[in-house]
Amino acid sequence: MNELLSKENLDYQERAREVAEKFVRPVAAELDRTGEYGWDILEALKSYELTGAWIPKEYGGQDAGVLNLCLVVEQLSRACGGVGVAFAVNALGSFPIIIGGTEEQKQKYLPPIASGNSLIAFGLSEKPSGSDAGSLRTTAIKDGDDYVVNGQKKWNTNGGVASTFTVYALTDPSRGMRGISAFIVEKDTPGFTVGKREDTMGIRTVPVNELEFADCRVPASQLLGHKENVGFKNAMMTLDRARPGVAAQALGLAQGAFEWALRYTSERKQFGQTVMSHQAIQFMLADMATQIEAARQLVYHSARVIDSGAANVNKIAAMGKVFATDTAMKVTTDAVQLFGGYGYCRDYPIEKYMRDAKITQIYEGTNQVQRLVIGRALTRELKELTDHLDVVVEHFPEVDG
Ligand code: CAA
């Protein structure tokens, strides 16, 4: 699986694997039970110089790109999907600033995230606007040197532990999604509170919260890029770059569950032989391994395309996300099946993989939204994809409509 990785990639992978095995795996079940955030893991990530891998060097990061980010998330998620996303969501929260922040905003907000001393979250979704992100209702109305923000955000991963939030709100409600702007909001801003924590099925170590804004005065200097009404595009570009991180989380979960399934079926005996030596089980394991490898190549490829600076990355990012997360759901469910009744019990590590995997098909755009993005791209590319067929089509009998 490492054949096409560079020396730098292998180095990130190895360091992340060490953190995962030494600091994450031993506490994964406990963090799942208690819902506590893995602060010691964050310290380990800092000491292994993994925080801020995706942040440019001039802002304290390592400029290591999306592929290295994915390699780290994959390794962490092999041991715990919650820890994987707790790491990845800092990329989701900081990409808006990297993409659209002013020089001053980048200088101020990116270095503490790069060092791991500050965590960040991404506030786009609301109760009435999930997949239809452009229909959000939170408003940010200019008043003197401030914007007065009112509304509520939903599904804010990292909400309870972040000190900085990128938040999308309507500065011109009459223009709908074309009136959305992005803001950088600090945790202590008066009128801003981190609200209810969700009682989630999986990824239980990371807090997912609502955010409340009640006449919250955000200084105009916090308007991202000092530009109004370009927030929706910023959010879409951010998601394009962050979705490989979710795909890598899913990949790590699939790989982690697969390793447990291999181990268990090679030790458990039924009908006088190991479960693994039954051909029916070998076929299942073969499919799981093949699906994981296909997902890995697509996830790494999508990250490489983004790192190349290509302009149109939404289709490939969506393809990687949809394929890897559907694979994770299938593989983790099959892994539970291979554990039999034990797989259904919390005494064993495998059911957690299935619970953690489910959210990857939902957040950062449901897999239905990913298919919509891919379908729209195919519609745009139709001519380019099919023009060469004209020569044959000319000889077809005419088709009505
Ligand atoms: N890059 C740049 N611009 C883009 C873009 C992209 N990928 N996608 C769309 N745009 C631009 C379009 O060009 C268009 O621009 P103009 O105004 O100049 O015409 C504008 O944005 C509107 O585009 P659409 O007409 O395509 O918008 P739409 O309303 O049909 O929505 C959508 C498109 C893809 C469905 C989008 O709403 C979407 O991605 N929804 C899912 C949102 C999502 O992923 N939410 C998850 C939030 S994070 C989370 O899960 C929580 C967490 O903490 C982990």
Side-chain angles (χ1 to χ4, degrees):
M1 71 181 185
N2 290 330
E3 292 83 357
L4 299 176
L5 295 178
S6 70
K7 202 164 167 292
E8 185 198 45
N9 298 151
L10 292 170
D11 179 50
Y12 272 96
Q13 188 186 52
E14 187 47 41
R15 278 184 284 145
R17 190 178 170 112
E18 209 170 307
V19 172
E21 296 308 330
K22 278 193 188 161
F23 300 92
V24 181
R25 199 180 294 282
V27 297
E30 178 69 8
L31 296 180
D32 180 53
R33 244 188 325 271
T34 60
E36 276 169 26
Y37 187 82
W39 293 108
D40 293 345
I41 297 169
L42 180 60
E43 288 308 312
L45 288 164
K46 284 193 215 173
S47 70
Y48 278 72
E49 296 181 11
L50 290 169
T51 54
W54 63 94
I55 292 175
K57 279 194 178 132
E58 56 268 44
Y59 310 114
Q62 298 154 31
D63 226 350
V66 175
L67 178 56
N68 285 313
L69 164 68
C70 286
L71 291 166
V72 175
V73 175
E74 179 188 352
Q75 291 307 316
L76 297 176
S77 304
R78 270 177 69 232
C80 174
V83 170
V85 70
F87 180 84
V89 81
N90 292 294
L92 173 68
S94 56
F95 276 135
I97 304 174
I98 297 171
I99 293 167
T102 63
E103 185 56 29
E104 206 183 342
Q105 289 168 342
K106 291 179 189 179
Q107 292 287 357
K108 181 171 178 190
Y109 290 103
L110 295 176
I113 295 154
S115 66
N117 290 328
S118 176
L119 301 174
I120 188 164
F122 177 79
L124 176 66
S125 302
E126 299 179 1
K127 277 184 189 167
S129 69
S131 292
D132 185 7
S135 70
L136 64 81
R137 295 179 190 177
T138 296
T139 53
I141 305 303
K142 187 93 190 284
D143 182 35
D145 290 338
D146 298 326
Y147 285 86
V148 180
V149 183
N150 278 292
Q152 193 187 46
K153 292 286 164 186
K154 190 84 183 163
W155 314 126
N156 207 256
T157 310
N158 245 8
V161 291
S163 49
T164 311
F165 298 79
T166 39
V167 173
Y168 296 82
L170 288 163
T171 39
D172 185 349
S174 68
R175 295 184 64 198
M177 72 169 74
R178 290 176 184 88
I180 294 173
S181 302
F183 294 87
I184 307 170
V185 179
E186 294 180 10
K187 191 181 176 182
D188 298 332
T189 311
F192 170 54
T193 43
V194 175
K196 177 191 157 206
R197 177 176 176 164
E198 308 296 342
D199 188 5
T200 55
M201 174 199 273
I203 60 161
R204 293 184 62 80
T205 178
V206 65
V208 179
N209 297 77
E210 292 178 354
L211 306 179
E212 318 273 354
F213 297 88
D215 288 332
C216 171
R217 296 192 82 87
V218 176
S221 59
Q222 302 298 92
L223 172 68
L224 194 75
H226 295 169
K227 278 197 199 126
E228 283 190 352
N229 306 330
V230 291
F232 191 72
K233 195 168 176 189
N234 175 276
M236 292 299 107
M237 289 176 72
T238 292
L239 287 163
D240 286 345
R241 280 146 191 83
R243 282 173 182 156
V246 173
Q249 181 203 6
L251 177 59
L253 282 164
Q255 178 69 34
F258 176 67
E259 288 162 5
W260 276 116
L262 267 185
R263 175 69 180 259
Y264 183 79
T265 57
S266 67
E267 288 177 355
R268 167 99 171 148
K269 285 197 175 134
Q270 290 291 280
F271 305 103
Q273 52 185 341
T274 63
V275 170
M276 191 181 175
S277 61
H278 292 279
Q279 194 181 48
I281 304 303
Q282 284 187 7
F283 282 6
M284 277 180 81
L285 291 166
D287 282 346
M288 290 158 85
T290 308
Q291 287 153 4
I292 291 169
E293 196 50 40
R296 177 170 290 115
Q297 298 314 322
L298 190 52
V299 174
Y300 291 4
H301 176 64
S302 70
R304 285 189 175 106
V305 173
I306 293 168
D307 287 339
S308 76
N312 291 324
V313 294
N314 67 339
K315 183 177 78 172
I316 193 70
M319 284 174 160
K321 200 261 183 191
V322 88
F323 193 82
T325 61
D326 284 351
T327 296
M329 202 62 241
K330 169 102 177 55
V331 168
T332 57
T333 306
D334 283 350
V336 168
Q337 185 71 18
L338 289 171
F339 268 67
Y342 299 103
Y344 202 64
C345 300
R346 295 199 176 189
D347 296 341
Y348 292 83
I350 204 67
E351 56 83 34
K352 175 179 180 297
Y353 282 87
M354 190 174 143
R355 286 188 286 112
D356 284 353
K358 185 60 214 173
I359 189 62
T360 66
Q361 294 179 302
I362 298 172
Y363 60 18
E364 292 198 30
T366 62
N367 280 4
Q368 287 70 28
V369 162
Q370 309 306 318
R371 289 180 168 94
L372 185 89
V373 167
I374 298 164
R376 284 181 181 181
L378 291 175
T379 310
R380 279 197 305 273
E381 294 164 4
L382 190 63
K383 199 168 153 41
E384 188 189 328
L385 289 171
T386 65
D387 253 7
H388 63 289
L389 300 176
D390 281 355
V391 64
V392 181
V393 170
E394 265 171 28
H395 303 292
F396 277 9
E398 227 166 89
V399 180
D400 285 344

